[in-house]
Amino acid sequence: HTNYEQGLAIGALAASGAPLATADTGNATYVLGRTYQDIVQDMVDWYSWSQIEGTNFPTVGARGGWYYTAGNNWASSASYGDNSAAQWAYVGLEAGVENFGANLPAWVKTQLAGYLHNQLISGLGYVSYRANGGTNNVCLTGGALVGMALVGETSYNAQNGAGSYAADLANVQTFLGNNWHGTSNRWTENWYGHRAYYTMYAVMKGLRLQGIDSLPGSPGTSDWYNDYVSVILPDQYSDGHWRGTGWMDGYIREDMGTAFGVLILTPSVLTPPPVACYNAQPNPGYLDVPISFDPSCSYHSDSNKNIVLYEWDFDNDGTYDASSVNPDVITHIWDSGSYALGSYPVTLRITDDSPEPLDDTYTVNIDLTVPPHPPVADVSGPYVVSLCSNDSLTLDGSASWDIDEGQSESGNPPFDTITAYEWDIDGAPWDYTGANGETVSFDNTAIAANFTAGANGIGLRVTDNTAAAYPGSGQPDLTSEGFGTLTVYDGCICDLAARAKRGKVQLTWNHTGAASYDIYRSTTGSNSGFVLIADDHVTTYATYLDSNVTSGTEYWYRIISSDDCGSTVVNITPPVSRRR
């Protein structure tokens, strides 16, 4: 019964809030070592391609639904939608899409919209066990609400006609309200006298996703959650577990009773927490040497939420010693006067802007050891360049460093230092065969040959000479990797020019017809360090005056048009006034 199991599995993985966690068990080809996000995407793809698609079935309205397994969806003897199985496809797909951002093809939603509309028989507001109609079913109608939320009102109406979503939703609410107390029949049992957790879970999930608190009809309810709580709390056993009741297979009552009870009692649809992450360099490190902590890999799997606080605990005492509201890189030193060599846990705690803030922590052991230590790769950037024929690109790894620079086991040469810089310019998987050197440059022809318009991944691997400097360690030359991005813009402003006066820089270019332009400035160089200084600048004559400059400082400028086309770079230094 793969459709049942897979929906539950997606929900569990997606609820972890850890899409980049990797499986440490399972099939070596398909599961082991892969990220939760990739595994969930595989399962979403499985549902997408096993959706019933044909038109000639023994029963009506099967297209767009699911049966118990993928094979049954195609077998002529059993190709009909089974709403008890299909609802777990809805539950799993909704969790994968909302929590992990899984890609669900539009055609899956389109077919599902038609299927659900056909199942809500003649406007009666319920679905039955099988796609060919029959007895109304409270549990599976709750599942249909999940399916409608997955499809969304826009897609649902596009497939079934304007207003169809609202009409079907209203009919479902009335049906559930009229059957709120339910009966002892296996198809219509609910909470009132039955405590049917399986049904209650499906209805709960649908009502929460639809934002429904009360139900019309007779008897209806003014607060469905309170009704459910009133029977679940007294059901809890002294050891904390629940046992489901009502009609259902024994394993659902016994093995899943606690899980269903906890999920039903959870007072809102699961909101995934933020995910804490940081990189520490160098690690291993050394006493009295600054170690950098970069939390920029932290993220929120809910695109509507933001991380608003970053806190650091450097001495593992539960008290956070430093904080910021942005993912700032901070440094910390373990001084030799207070600390010895050893391993020191450092914890990052991040907090989001939920009404009831959610947080997450991430701890890494910082090892302070005797040399040799690996070097630190610094790819710099982020880089930017255009495809204008007069533009060029330089990748600069000179900020990379070696904590053991100038030291050796004997105190004499050869000293430890970085001996090799290897660049990967075509993204993952990282093989570092693109170019070599502390800095590497590309002219317009090389840019077009090696990069694509848009975002490109850049990797740098640096290698030291540990084997020669510290032969007694028995270690080979040590390496470190760093990663960054390069954005390549189509070139449409290749004539950008600049003219300087004291305290001012005038930019001019040929108007491309764009509605507006973003003006960027850097004091670092031609390909990095750019900061937006004018957002959506509207100009009739394609000019911009930068009056916030310092005489004697060299500036680089780039322009991006509102249609996402870029300029070449221009640099200039405003003159210093001369005394006469």
Side-chain angles (χ1 to χ4, degrees):
H1 293 171
T2 323
N3 271 335
Y4 285 88
E5 298 159 359
Q6 190 148 274
L8 288 163
I10 293 178
L13 290 172
S16 72
L20 300 183
T22 55
D24 57 7
T25 188
N27 180 280
T29 302
Y30 305 110
V31 178
L32 181 65
R34 301 185 67 217
T35 66
Y36 287 6
Q37 190 168 47
D38 286 343
I39 295 168
V40 165
Q41 184 64 61
D42 279 355
M43 291 192 280
V44 170
D45 292 343
W46 189 95
Y47 273 129
S48 299
W49 291 102
S50 67
Q51 188 180 32
I52 298 174
E53 194 170 52
T55 56
N56 297 319
F57 299 100
T59 52
V60 177
R63 184 180 182 90
W66 284 270
Y67 190 66
Y68 287 97
T69 68
N72 288 129
N73 291 343
W74 306 318
S76 61
S77 61
S79 291
Y80 49 78
D82 182 295
N83 288 310
S84 67
Q87 73 169 346
W88 290 102
Y90 315 153
V91 168
L93 290 172
E94 189 277 333
V97 170
E98 292 302 317
N99 286 12
F100 271 13
N103 178 41
L104 182 66
W107 46 263
V108 175
K109 294 183 179 182
T110 297
Q111 293 194 143
L112 179 54
Y115 177 78
L116 289 167
H117 187 61
N118 289 334
Q119 298 310 297
L120 296 170
I121 304 168
S122 302
L124 298 178
Y126 63 81
V127 302
S128 60
Y129 180 45
R130 294 283 163 80
N132 58 328
T135 306
N136 55 321
N137 189 301
V138 172
C139 172
L140 307 186
T141 301
L145 285 179
V146 179
M148 292 178 69
L150 172 65
V151 170
E153 186 170 4
T154 299
S155 297
Y156 198 91
N157 288 341
Q159 176 66 18
N160 301 311
S164 58
Y165 189 94
D168 286 351
L169 183 60
N171 289 333
V172 169
Q173 292 179 78
T174 300
F175 166 76
L176 291 176
N178 287 336
N179 291 273
W180 188 238
H181 284 177
T183 70
S184 58
N185 182 284
R186 62 182 287 186
W187 306 123
T188 54
E189 64 183 1
N190 199 348
W191 64 283
Y192 191 79
H194 320 123
R195 293 169 167 79
Y197 286 11
Y198 185 82
T199 295
M200 294 165 68
Y201 172 83
V203 173
M204 169 278 294
K205 189 76 173 178
L207 294 178
R208 283 188 176 142
L209 288 172
Q210 295 289 351
I212 297 169
D213 297 318
S214 60
L215 294 170
S218 179
T221 180
S222 60
D223 186 346
W224 66 264
Y225 177 69
N226 186 64
D227 289 344
Y228 277 10
V229 169
S230 71
V231 299
I232 291 181
L233 286 185
D235 273 354
Q236 188 177 25
Y237 284 72
S238 60
D239 66 355
H241 87 279
W242 279 273
R243 177 187 182 278
T245 57
W247 180 91
M248 271 298 154
D249 294 330
Y251 73 90
I252 293 177
R253 295 195 302 268
E254 300 290 344
D255 301 331
M256 302 177 71
T258 299
F260 281 140
V262 169
L263 291 169
I264 293 167
L265 288 173
T266 302
S268 64
V269 177
L270 175 71
T271 300
V275 179
C277 169
Y278 72 81
N279 294 307
Q281 289 188 320
N283 187 25
Y286 199 50
L287 296 171
D288 299 320
V289 173
I291 296 177
S292 297
F293 296 85
D294 182 358
S296 60
C297 57
S298 301
Y299 65 95
H300 210 305
S301 45
D302 184 344
S303 60
N304 296 314
K305 301 293 175 55
N306 300 292
I307 301 171
V308 296
L309 183 62
Y310 300 79
E311 299 172 286
W312 299 92
D313 180 3
F314 290 111
D315 50 14
N316 199 36
D317 63 354
T319 299
Y320 290 89
D321 311 298
S323 65
S324 64
V325 297
N326 297 310
D328 299 327
V329 177
I330 67 172
T331 60
H332 186 74
I333 296 174
W334 282 265
D335 66 272
S336 56
S338 303
Y339 295 92
L341 296 175
S343 184
Y344 295 89
V346 173
T347 298
L348 166 67
R349 181 172 68 183
I350 60 173
T351 305
D352 74 2
D353 56 359
S354 297
E356 295 184 9
L358 300 172
D359 61 53
D360 188 39
T361 60
Y362 182 69
T363 301
V364 170
N365 286 329
I366 305 302
D367 296 318
L368 305 182
T369 64
V370 296
H373 302 102
V376 177
D378 189 337
V379 73
S380 296
Y383 296 98
V384 61
V385 74
S386 76
L387 293 177
C388 289
S389 61
N390 56 347
D391 209 349
S392 63
L393 169 66
T394 297
L395 303 178
D396 186 356
S398 61
S400 303
W401 59 290
D402 193 323
I403 187 174
D404 302 326
E405 181 76 32
Q407 300 181 51
S408 70
E409 186 176 291
S410 64
N412 299 308
F415 295 118
D416 200 7
T417 189
I418 295 175
T419 59
Y421 297 77
E422 300 168 286
W423 294 87
D424 190 315
I425 58 176
D426 56 5
W430 307 102
D431 55 18
Y432 303 101
T433 59
N436 294 299
E438 185 177 52
T439 61
V440 293
S441 298
F442 303 84
D443 61 16
N444 172 260
T445 301
I447 293 169
N450 288 285
F451 304 103
T452 59
N456 296 258
I458 301 294
L460 170 64
R461 180 171 66 191
V462 296
T463 304
D464 69 8
N465 65 333
T466 289
Y470 294 92
S473 71
Q475 296 194 53
D477 292 340
L478 302 179
T479 65
S480 172
E481 297 174 299
F483 305 97
T485 59
L486 163 66
T487 302
V488 179
Y489 289 96
D490 286 328
C492 62
I493 308 174
C494 300
D495 58 347
L496 179 63
R499 188 171 55 133
K501 299 180 180 179
R502 283 182 296 165
K504 296 179 182 179
V505 172
Q506 179 79 51
L507 301 179
T508 60
W509 64 95
N510 283 328
H511 207 320
T512 67
S516 63
Y517 302 88
D518 291 340
I519 314 298
Y520 289 86
R521 186 182 71 192
S522 170
T523 56
T524 301
S526 60
N527 300 114
S528 63
F530 284 91
V531 176
L532 180 67
I533 61 171
D535 186 20
D536 293 329
H537 172 63
V538 178
T539 171
T540 302
Y541 300 103
T543 63
Y544 177 76
L545 180 64
D546 183 6
S547 56
N548 185 27
V549 297
T550 301
S551 296
T553 299
E554 187 174 15
Y555 295 96
W556 289 261
Y557 292 89
R558 288 184 180 272
I559 297 176
I560 309 300
S561 68
S562 57
D563 50 4
D564 211 32
C565 195
S567 77
T568 188
V569 69
V570 64
N571 78 299
I572 197 165
T573 302
V576 178
S577 59
R578 298 178 179 177
R579 295 186 180 184
R580 296 185 179 179

